[in-house]
Amino acid sequence: MSAATPAERPSSTEPDGVIAPHHERPEGWLTRLGLLLRGALIGLAEIVPGVSGGTIALIVGVYETLIRSAGHLVRAGVHGVRALLGREGARHEATHHARQVRWGAVLPIGIGMLAAVVAGAAVLEPVLEEHPVESRAVFAGLILASLVVPARMVGGRWRAPEIVVGLLAAAAAFVLTGLPPAAERDPSLPLVALAAAFAVCALVLPGVSGSFLLLTVGLYEATLGAVNDRDLVYLGVFVLGAILGLGLFVAGLQWLLEHRHRITLVVMTGLMAGSLRALWPWQDDDRTLLAPSGDVGLVLLLVAAGAAVVVALLVVEARHERRHATTAEHVADVLDPD
């Protein structure tokens, strides 16, 4: 692949000390407070459909730290299991990868994310229940603007076969998101784990929203409710699914982006576009699309406002382009924990 090696890639270190390189440990309470705040921003992004936690992680300069550490953590777990099975050398490998995790950065970022998710869920759940049309309008604007990220990462003009594939992916997503949702307040635990496994890609791939994925399968409000109700069974299954998904998704996505990056991103763009059906503001409980009604002007204004938020984030990210290039090759390289 054409991506630079970690040694060749520009360090995320800045003159003002935004964050240390991946192999260095941040020192001082001020640095840890900054990491807490960065984690809180990522956590807030994670609960808003259309805003990518990966994009926020890029903007605040902790993307590579999180993803490389996650890769080491997953491999430490895999080798730990192999060590329990008596495989020779597995314990040494597990210890090696565990030591490569930047715990001094990952822990405060994780705490900040968790605090923001808990606080944000308490605010969002009643808003979704009381203002469903307006909420979907804002989310639709967020997703519309977010489509530019995977489309841009394809690189160059789309070829005719790629356009066809993208349209087919969009059509498939349109049909699937039109299916009546499962009982949102009481989903099956295997479904929760599966949804979490896919939603975790929001942190891995900038431009993809994990909350949007939950929304399209009818689990978004259920997950917010579980956070607010402190449903430990639901949340435990969700976390387990996310961990398993991270272990599988990191390796799979790295291979796809390295060997099939154009078609992978074409399909992803199509799926996101087709899934916008789930965010049509006017629909009933069975996801049947309805004609516009009520204050249409306000709804359109909210769509524009949602799109403006993502455009602003992309402008900020563009200013970081030299340090955090959002390309398929860059993401594939970061997914490799060396």
Side-chain angles (χ1 to χ4, degrees):
M1 57 187 286
S2 60
T5 64
E8 296 169 333
R9 187 171 302 285
S11 170
S12 58
T13 307
E14 297 301 322
D16 58 358
V18 171
I19 188 168
H22 174 72
H23 62 277
E24 295 181 7
R25 293 184 178 180
E27 297 180 358
W29 289 105
L30 187 60
T31 299
R32 288 184 172 84
L33 178 60
L35 292 172
L36 277 169
L37 294 177
R38 289 172 175 81
L41 291 174
I42 298 170
L44 289 174
E46 286 298 303
I47 63 172
V48 178
V51 180
S52 166
T55 296
I56 300 299
L58 274 171
I59 291 172
V60 299
V62 297
Y63 176 75
E64 295 197 16
T65 294
L66 285 177
I67 301 307
R68 290 189 190 278
S69 292
H72 284 300
L73 189 58
V74 168
R75 282 162 174 77
V78 171
H79 288 297
V81 172
R82 294 179 66 241
L84 292 176
L85 297 176
R87 300 295 176 87
E88 184 177 354
R91 182 177 179 181
H92 172 75
E93 289 294 328
T95 302
H96 167 73
H97 284 290
R99 288 176 176 172
Q100 296 302 310
V101 177
R102 277 193 57 190
W103 296 106
V106 170
L107 290 178
I109 291 172
I111 292 171
M113 290 177 61
L114 179 61
V117 167
V118 172
V123 174
L124 271 179
E125 188 180 21
V127 172
L128 292 171
E129 292 179 354
E130 297 172 15
H131 306 283
V133 173
E134 292 82 359
S135 299
R136 284 194 291 267
V138 174
F139 296 159
L142 293 168
I143 293 296
L144 273 171
S146 297
L147 287 173
V148 71
V149 178
R152 181 182 61 186
M153 288 173 65
V154 171
R157 181 177 298 178
W158 286 31
R159 308 183 187 101
E162 293 170 342
I163 294 175
V164 173
V165 171
L167 291 175
L168 290 174
F174 186 90
V175 171
L176 291 174
T177 53
L179 299 175
E184 293 189 358
R185 302 303 298 185
D186 189 26
S188 66
L189 294 181
L191 177 60
V192 171
L194 182 62
F198 281 98
V200 75
C201 71
L203 271 181
V204 175
L205 189 62
V208 179
S209 168
S211 292
F212 177 54
L213 295 175
L214 293 178
L215 190 63
T216 58
V217 298
L219 291 180
Y220 181 64
E221 291 188 46
T223 304
L224 288 184
V227 173
N228 290 329
D229 298 337
R230 309 296 189 267
D231 186 340
L232 299 182
V233 173
Y234 185 108
L235 296 176
V237 171
F238 190 93
V239 170
L240 179 60
I243 293 173
L244 294 175
L246 184 62
L248 296 173
F249 190 79
V250 165
L253 181 61
Q254 183 190 4
W255 188 91
L256 288 172
L257 291 178
E258 185 174 352
H259 300 282
R260 301 286 188 272
H261 80 269
R262 286 187 63 91
I263 198 64
T264 298
L265 293 165
V266 164
V267 171
M268 187 172 298
T269 304
L271 291 175
M272 288 178 64
S275 297
L276 278 167
R277 184 195 190 285
L279 296 178
W280 177 254
W282 301 278
Q283 54 183 284
D284 60 21
D285 293 338
D286 290 329
R287 293 186 176 176
T288 300
L289 303 184
L290 306 175
S293 60
D295 194 343
V296 177
L298 174 61
V299 171
L300 294 178
L301 182 62
L302 292 173
V303 172
V309 170
V310 174
V311 169
L313 291 174
L314 293 177
V315 170
V316 174
E317 182 189 354
R319 295 180 179 178
H320 291 67
E321 192 71 19
R322 289 171 299 182
R323 293 169 289 171
H324 305 293
T326 309
T327 64
E329 290 83 359
H330 179 207
V331 175
D333 178 62
V334 173
L335 290 174
D336 182 2
D338 306 328

